[in-house]
Amino acid sequence: MNNIYDAIKEKENQIATFQAQISGLQAEIEALRVAARILEGGGSVPETARPVAVQTVSGNGADKTKRVWP
């Protein structure tokens, strides 16, 4: 049986994983919005609207870096 501290630590780890996934999805959504504006002929996109994200995800003992380019 897990003690309360182990259960809390497990939930904290789950939250951190979900937050990393959410950040990655937000970056992908913004990149898709920019692409949609470009495809609609919205002209040039201001430099501030171009998303660039770097996300490091730990899994199975190996860190993996995911980059989202504009």
Side-chain angles (χ1 to χ4, degrees):
M1 180 174 163
N2 289 344
N3 67 30
I4 189 74
Y5 299 107
D6 291 338
I8 291 171
K9 186 64 177 173
E10 182 179 330
K11 292 299 178 186
E12 287 173 344
N13 290 339
Q14 288 177 349
I15 289 170
T17 300
F18 292 145
Q19 287 174 335
Q21 290 173 344
I22 289 168
S23 295
L25 290 172
Q26 286 174 332
E28 288 180 34
I29 289 169
E30 187 58 32
L32 290 170
R33 286 182 177 149
V34 170
R37 276 186 245 138
I38 292 169
L39 291 173
E40 289 175 349
S44 64
V45 178
E47 194 63 34
T48 57
R50 295 181 183 221
V52 176
V54 176
Q55 175 183 359
T56 303
V57 180
S58 296
N60 298 332
D63 288 342
K64 296 181 181 177
T65 302
K66 176 182 177 184
R67 287 183 168 77
V68 179
W69 301 99

